[in-house]
Amino acid sequence: MVTKPSSTSIAGSLTHSSALAYVRDAGLVLAGTLALILIGQITIPLPFTPVPISMGTFAALGVGAVLGSRRGALSALLLGALAAVGAPVLAGWSGGTVVTFGYVVGYILIAAIAGRAATVWSRHSGSTAARVATGVALMLLASASVYIPGLIWLKVATGAGWGTTLYLGLVPFIVGDILKSVVATGLLPARSRLR
């Protein structure tokens, strides 16, 4: 005799699947935040600006590319929330809404756009050269997005004019951000392996 599964057992199975999916997502978000914290510790202070050269932007690109827009942005949002309440998660194991906190907020934008770049990468049907060019362009856009909140926050926190703010918070980092974006493009294929 063959018995059909009851609607109760199907509903229970779906609930169990949903719970496992939430646990998996939460674990990936926490792993992304941990990656942002650890990789963000790699910094080079510059004597003329309060903004250091940081691998945090590279970490945000990577987290977004690997985890996708939603989970990557949530990882960066969690980092920002932890920093805002004073947890020692920023460079030098510091915390708080410091002068460079706007860049931390910008990590949310970076991760979201990098995650979108990974989706575009996986669906791109053109030549390899076109695919790489599109990936690099989107990763450059992701990297550049950090400057919107970063520079606004820096200007408000320091009281400097826009010319000084750009000198302190943008100009020294352009070449490095281009390099990070190009290297991080290599992480885009990882997204198709992690759904």
Side-chain angles (χ1 to χ4, degrees):
M1 179 171 146
V2 178
T3 58
K4 290 184 178 179
S6 71
S7 60
T8 306
S9 66
I10 292 172
S13 177
L14 291 175
T15 301
H16 182 70
S17 291
S18 296
L20 286 178
Y22 284 124
V23 168
R24 180 177 183 270
D25 279 354
L28 289 171
V29 167
L30 289 173
T33 303
L34 183 60
L36 289 167
I37 293 168
L38 295 176
I39 297 169
Q41 299 305 316
I42 304 170
T43 60
I44 301 171
L46 298 174
F48 57 89
T49 177
V51 183
I53 294 172
S54 168
M55 290 301 287
T57 51
F58 180 76
L61 287 166
V63 166
V66 173
L67 297 182
S69 290
R70 185 178 55 82
R71 289 184 294 219
L74 286 172
S75 295
L77 180 63
L78 179 57
L79 173 74
L82 289 170
V85 298
V89 294
L90 301 179
W93 301 107
S94 63
T97 52
V98 296
V99 170
T100 56
F101 185 73
Y103 295 94
V104 177
V105 172
Y107 291 173
I108 300 166
L109 295 173
I110 291 176
I113 295 169
R116 182 67 186 140
T119 301
V120 169
W121 175 277
S122 68
R123 295 180 182 161
H124 199 287
S125 59
S127 68
T128 301
R131 190 181 213 189
V132 170
T134 301
V136 169
L138 288 171
M139 293 304 261
L140 286 168
L141 176 64
S143 191
S145 70
V146 78
Y147 292 110
I148 297 166
L151 292 171
I152 292 170
W153 190 281
L154 183 64
K155 182 184 184 326
V156 170
T158 62
W162 277 113
T164 302
T165 300
L166 294 174
Y167 172 75
L168 296 175
L170 172 66
V171 175
F173 309 102
I174 294 172
V175 172
D177 283 343
I178 291 169
L179 292 173
K180 290 176 203 173
S181 298
V182 170
V183 171
T185 301
L187 297 172
L188 292 176
R191 176 72 185 115
S192 62
R193 292 190 289 274
L194 178 68
R195 290 281 174 205

